[in-house]
Amino acid sequence: MADSQLFEETFSITSLNAQKYDRVSRISGTSSSNETFLTLDVNTELYPCVVGDRVHLVLASTLSLDGTKDDGKGWRDVGRGEASLADMYDYVCHGKIYRFEEGDGEMIKVFISFGGLLLYLEGPYKRLTPLRIDYVYLLLKKS
């Protein structure tokens, strides 16, 4: 995991709920180590998912391959005309980590909003410590 990559894990999708919105589904999944749990709102028109899919998820502070910060650039300008981390993934969002909660024992809960599409992660404190209240990129691809 590079310095700009704050969290990286592969999840198996265990449930999918598309009842509330036409193009958005709430997926739930479990990490390959069964330590981390995920609930994520996904635009399924852009990134179709089904129960049983395995997705590789990365949370990164920048899309630059060399790890340099995006300071001074809007997120839409990052990677224009140059290779970026986004080129290696199928679904990319920019959002903000806005809340942490303590879980049971050594577990912690992280809440991130991507323009209203939400991500909830619950896992061991040691795995989620690189995350801070800040802006992040979500990158997904099927594995």
Side-chain angles (χ1 to χ4, degrees):
M1 193 163 49
D3 291 339
S4 64
Q5 295 181 13
L6 307 171
F7 177 80
E8 183 173 15
E9 187 65 75
T10 300
F11 290 89
S12 294
I13 297 175
T14 56
S15 70
L16 187 130
N17 182 345
Q19 295 174 349
K20 197 160 186 144
Y21 301 104
D22 291 335
R23 293 181 288 263
V24 175
S25 294
R26 180 160 284 174
I27 62 172
S28 296
T30 305
S31 68
S32 51
S33 64
N34 288 325
E35 288 184 325
T36 309
F37 305 96
L38 153 101
T39 301
L40 173 65
D41 296 338
V42 174
N43 182 331
T44 50
E45 191 173 69
L46 298 175
Y47 191 73
C49 299
V50 294
V51 172
D53 279 352
R54 291 176 47 83
V55 293
H56 185 76
L57 178 139
V58 171
L59 294 175
S61 59
T62 179
L63 293 177
S64 300
L65 292 174
D66 62 2
T68 56
K69 291 284 183 194
D70 302 335
D71 296 334
K73 296 182 190 176
W75 66 268
R76 290 183 176 129
D77 297 327
V78 175
R80 284 249 164 116
E82 59 190 60
S84 76
L85 196 57
D87 298 333
M88 297 179 243
Y89 291 85
D90 303 320
Y91 187 77
V92 180
C93 295
H94 183 254
K96 183 168 185 164
I97 300 172
Y98 67 92
R99 188 170 82 198
F100 292 92
E101 288 182 6
E102 289 188 26
D104 299 330
E106 294 290 314
M107 301 293 269
I108 190 170
K109 301 172 184 177
V110 181
F111 298 84
I112 308 172
S113 176
F114 301 97
L117 299 178
L118 302 177
L119 167 61
Y120 164 78
L121 281 173
E122 182 174 2
Y125 179 76
K126 290 180 181 179
R127 289 276 293 131
L128 300 174
T129 51
L131 302 177
R132 302 280 182 259
I133 292 183
D134 201 359
Y135 292 96
V136 293
Y137 292 94
L138 166 83
L139 302 109
L140 277 181
K141 67 179 173 181
K142 300 220 172 127
S143 56

